Amino acid sequence: MDYKKFLLEFIFNGLIATSLSYFFIYQDWSKSFVFGWGFGLLMAVFYTFILPRFKKK
């Protein structure tokens, strides 16, 4: 397993989603952090574990 890629995807997607959700959706940092890091976790799982299975075929 490539945990370094997972961690980088999590941080990168989480920071982008947190900042964009703050400015465009919530204007509240606590809600933005919950949304952003949840989205970052979801996308990190998708990019690290699910998408490579489809690329191999």
Side-chain angles (χ1 to χ4, degrees):
M1 297 288 165
D2 191 10
Y3 292 109
K4 183 178 178 182
K5 180 181 178 184
F6 178 81
L7 185 62
L8 289 175
E9 289 287 343
F10 173 66
I11 291 171
F12 183 69
N13 289 316
L15 287 174
I16 290 174
T18 299
S19 60
L20 289 177
S21 67
Y22 175 76
F23 289 111
F24 291 119
I25 300 172
Y26 296 119
Q27 286 80 34
D28 181 20
W29 280 113
S30 62
K31 290 180 182 178
S32 297
F33 278 121
V34 170
F35 173 78
W37 294 114
F39 181 79
L41 181 64
L42 178 72
M43 293 309 288
V45 167
F46 178 74
Y47 282 133
T48 307
F49 300 113
I50 297 171
L51 192 61
R53 291 185 183 182
F54 290 113
K55 285 185 175 182
K56 288 180 182 177
K57 294 180 181 180

